[in-house]
Amino acid sequence: MTKRVRVRFAPSPTGGLHLGGVRTVLYNYLFAKQHGGDFILRIEDTDQSRYVPGAEEYIFNTLQWCGLEPDESPKNGGKYGPYRQSERKEQYRKYAEQLVAQGQAYYAFDTAEELDAMRNRLRTTENPSPQYDRTVRMQMRNSFTLAKEEVDGLLAANTPHVIRIKMPEHETVQFHDMIRGDVSFDTSVVDDKVLLKADGMPTYHLAVVVDDHLMEISHAFRGEEWLPSAPVHILLWRYLFGEEAMPQWAHLPLILGPSGKLSKRDGAKYGFPVFAMNWTDPKTSELTDGFKEKGFLPEAFINMLAMLGWNDGTEQELFSKDELVQRFSIEKVHKGGAKFDYEKAKWFNHEWIKKLPIDSYKEEVKKLFVEKGLQLQDESYFEKILSLVKDRCTLLSDFWAHSFFFFIAPKEIDFTPIKAKWFDEKTSFFGLYIKALNGISDFKAATLEAEFKKLAEEATLKVGELQLPLRLMLVGGKFGPPVFEIAEILGREETINRIENGLAQL
RNA sequence: GCCGCGUUCGUCUAAGGGCUAGGACACCACCCUUUCACGGUGGUGAUACGGGUUCGAAUCCCGUACGCGGUACCA
């Protein structure tokens, strides 16, 4: 019997969602959709001290912008709820107690000071981070070292305690990773991880296993940083629900920054976003830039992220979300980490701006223009301009620089590039051209250009020496699309106005 | 330190025993364009190192180096 495909992502609401997190969501989502399954989002709010208000909402916003909405989540519910770990608190204790009863876990009463003391005592240069493991287990205060009556007394008195897993000695735990193949660990080198914290909350280790079981998760994809604790999870599955019921694992490679693991600092340091959307930490007021606000399209963002660690074996690089759903394969995800390259990310965005019809982003651009203080009345004029300049824009924010002159006539024009070679014949040429403009019946770029050339020839002037002045008069600088196309869009009246203005300044 | 996972142009990657190691980004040159871009053509540029196995190795095996991750009552 094959289980229905159900994959999950479980972020902790302790800050924004970094690139690696969004990519994990993406791969989970793609795999689920590809198999007609469900993508489940649950919230790991088990660490009260690091919980950041607003972070959960931010996660939802990010997923929404990316178009990766979960089928089940704290927000839209589902029959396996609740989807917040803090609301499932009662569940975990039960399983932890079961493990204690089975002799595979134990109560530990050691205080923070006692743990510090143990670590300080054992710390050497050879062993810089001593663990709570089989070597020290019998020297600590726990239900293995204390008499049963004492343990019962401590428990009855509500003495703060944790439940730790008892790692077996010299056992090899092996499992199959969909990306890495067979991976094995010696249980002797992993410590007695805390399963249930003193505040009654589970640690990730317990929660992930219990929730994956209760929510009938079939596949679990997560970052590579979880690989070392996988043996704990395997053992928990074996003890609690049977290893054969365990989801299939895949540990995704890390996304790296210019120097090592990609961090928020890298973004600030090198000037590129590391989050999907702007995130302001309410505690520190620190802002981390987002791709959205930088002018990225979600299509490009998703595409770029998908290719950072996966490819389908062909030379295709541009994929829509639907294509990704079809072509994605977890087996083809790379083993090695990938360094994030902002230049390449921008290239993806450029491609998507060119590829997509302007309808899919014109509202975003409009918003940016309104922010610049512009009032847009003529929708078709606006659309015409977007179509004309879209190929030159890498980010949505580039649209302004490439088209503001269609809306704002240049005032003080810098004519230095042409001033030295200016003479009266040119002034009279433009006078004639204005007259001609008034007479042209169909105001199209080609006609305007033909007329311009004809007049130049009659005046025995070089066309090349006249085009730059015209451009300067129309847009105010050496930039923009072909001049006659600008004139066509500007229209007869505005074009003539701008030429007259320019002439007056010369 | 210990444990684990990795390693192909600067970057993302293709090639999973067999043609001059292919593509993309970036960079450079040329073309197009009498603006700036877009675009087009071409170019520089890589199998970490050392041993095996094999007629033949980027590919399989071993070792070394390097990188990354973990080593918390964080996830």
Side-chain angles (χ1 to χ4, degrees):
Chain A
M1 67 153 210
T2 48
K3 275 196 280 188
R4 177 177 172 79
V5 168
R6 292 172 57 78
V7 300
R8 52 89 181 126
F9 180 66
S12 60
T14 55
L17 249 195
H18 57 89
L19 282 182
V22 182
R23 194 192 55 184
T24 306
V25 175
L26 213 212
Y27 287 0
N28 275 297
Y29 178 92
L30 295 176
F31 187 87
K33 294 301 151 195
Q34 183 172 61
H35 293 87
D38 306 313
F39 168 49
I40 293 115
L41 181 90
R42 65 170 185 255
I43 299 289
E44 302 265 0
D45 56 346
T46 51
D47 189 352
Q48 315 266 304
S49 62
R50 297 205 313 164
Y51 184 86
V52 176
E56 189 180 312
E57 195 55 33
Y58 171 85
I59 290 165
F60 281 115
N61 291 341
T62 294
L63 263 42
Q64 187 179 39
W65 180 66
C66 295
L68 304 174
E69 272 122 333
D71 298 297
E72 296 166 27
S73 74
K75 203 171 189 173
N76 49 1
K79 60 175 178 172
Y80 295 83
Y83 293 90
R84 264 183 217 99
Q85 279 173 3
S86 59
E87 295 166 15
R88 306 170 63 81
K89 202 171 160 185
E90 301 72 37
Q91 296 283 0
Y92 308 110
R93 172 123 222 150
K94 189 177 81 188
Y95 291 102
E97 297 282 1
Q98 182 189 330
L99 289 165
V100 175
Q102 290 170 188
Q104 289 149 339
Y106 57 93
Y107 301 109
F109 300 94
D110 316 278
T111 62
E113 293 72 40
E114 287 168 333
L115 290 174
D116 278 349
M118 178 273 283
R119 294 201 171 100
N120 288 333
R121 181 163 52 85
L122 266 33
R123 182 155 25 235
T124 61
T125 44
E126 306 284 82
N127 181 14
S129 42
Q131 299 181 315
Y132 196 124
D133 59 16
R134 68 198 164 83
T135 60
V136 298
R137 185 153 65 214
M138 297 314 282
Q139 299 159 35
M140 306 302 285
R141 295 180 51 233
N142 55 54
S143 54
F144 281 134
T145 57
L146 269 25
K148 186 173 183 313
E149 301 73 46
E150 194 178 348
V151 172
D152 290 343
L154 287 167
L155 289 177
N158 281 328
T159 312
H161 64 278
V162 301
I163 293 181
R164 309 186 88 108
I165 186 172
K166 180 195 177 197
M167 287 306 283
E169 271 181 56
H170 298 300
E171 214 173 280
T172 300
V173 172
Q174 193 184 59
F175 73 99
H176 185 80
D177 185 287
M178 293 175 85
I179 296 169
R180 283 152 219 283
D182 291 327
V183 184
S184 61
F185 295 85
D186 183 343
T187 54
S188 306
V189 298
V190 353
D191 58 336
D192 287 359
K193 289 263 181 273
V194 169
L195 264 20
L196 198 74
K197 299 190 261 189
D199 62 4
M201 284 288 204
T203 58
Y204 173 86
H205 309 294
L206 212 218
V208 77
V209 171
V210 169
D211 287 347
D212 279 355
H213 167 253
L214 261 18
M215 295 185 180
E216 295 177 25
I217 299 303
S218 64
H219 298 263
F221 308 150
R222 56 178 11 170
E224 192 184 1
E225 68 270 26
W226 289 107
L227 201 46
S229 49
V232 178
H233 309 148
I234 309 292
L235 249 23
L236 252 20
W237 269 97
R238 187 183 296 174
Y239 297 157
L240 255 17
F241 315 114
E243 227 173 305
E244 62 289 342
M246 189 171 72
Q248 279 192 266
W249 299 100
H251 290 88
L252 275 22
L254 264 13
I255 295 181
L256 309 168
S259 53
K261 196 177 129 186
L262 186 65
S263 68
K264 281 196 280 188
R265 289 243 165 276
D266 286 332
K269 192 169 167 189
Y270 299 98
F272 57 74
V274 293
F275 283 3
M277 296 169 72
N278 277 3
W279 163 252
T280 305
D281 191 312
K283 288 179 181 167
T284 61
S285 298
E286 186 190 2
L287 170 77
T288 308
D289 283 333
F291 280 85
K292 177 176 187 275
E293 290 79 359
K294 268 273 189 290
F296 276 78
L297 295 169
E299 290 85 353
F301 180 64
I302 292 298
N303 192 169
M304 174 276 291
L305 224 39
M307 303 312 286
L308 211 54
W310 170 85
N311 116 338
D312 74 342
T314 72
E315 281 172 5
Q316 182 175 345
E317 291 194 88
L318 260 25
F319 292 90
S320 68
K321 194 176 81 176
D322 289 342
E323 280 178 295
L324 285 173
V325 167
Q326 274 184 10
R327 308 275 277 283
F328 183 73
S329 59
I330 197 79
E331 293 81 8
K332 275 192 169 281
V333 173
H334 308 138
K335 297 181 173 98
K339 196 175 285 185
F340 170 69
D341 180 4
Y342 190 43
E343 292 306 318
K344 185 86 186 223
K346 286 195 286 193
W347 174 80
F348 275 106
N349 206 55
H350 188 188
E351 291 301 313
W352 276 97
I353 285 182
K354 287 192 287 181
K355 188 172 166 163
L356 253 21
I358 55 168
D359 282 346
S360 46
Y361 51 78
K362 74 174 183 201
E363 292 306 320
E364 286 299 315
V365 178
K366 199 182 287 178
K367 237 183 273 171
L368 292 172
F369 279 24
V370 170
E371 275 169 31
K372 293 278 185 187
L374 207 69
Q375 287 172 33
L376 295 166
Q377 306 101 329
D378 189 343
E379 187 76 13
S380 76
Y381 182 66
F382 177 61
E383 287 178 12
K384 225 187 286 178
I385 288 157
L386 292 197
S387 307
L388 182 66
V389 303
K390 63 186 281 198
D391 286 1
R392 333 160 76 88
C393 299
T394 298
L395 300 170
L396 291 183
S397 47
D398 292 339
F399 274 94
W400 177 254
H402 285 297
S403 66
F404 69 91
F405 43 83
F406 284 110
F407 305 95
I408 301 169
K411 283 193 217 100
E412 314 245 313
I413 302 169
D414 179 11
F415 281 115
T416 42
I418 58 160
K419 209 130 203 180
K421 284 188 277 179
W422 192 258
F423 41 86
D424 290 347
E425 284 81 358
K426 291 185 178 177
T427 308
S428 48
F429 166 83
F430 278 102
L432 287 171
Y433 191 54
I434 290 173
K435 270 199 191 112
L437 253 25
N438 274 314
I440 287 172
S441 54
D442 91 295
F443 207 81
K444 290 270 181 282
T447 322
L448 300 177
E449 183 168 6
E451 193 63 30
F452 191 84
K453 285 184 173 158
K454 200 185 89 191
L455 286 178
E457 205 171 309
E458 285 171 11
T460 60
L461 289 168
K462 284 185 193 152
V463 179
E465 281 187 27
L466 295 166
Q467 274 197 28
L468 188 56
L470 177 61
R471 169 175 298 280
L472 258 27
M473 290 186 249
L474 294 187
V475 307
K478 293 169 76 172
F479 48 74
V483 243
F484 297 105
E485 290 187 40
I486 295 174
E488 178 187 327
I489 290 186
L490 247 24
R492 191 192 314 268
E493 195 184 334
E494 183 64 17
T495 302
I496 291 172
N497 272 345
R498 292 190 183 188
I499 295 174
E500 283 174 344
N501 261 330
L503 251 23
Q505 284 188 47
L506 264 158

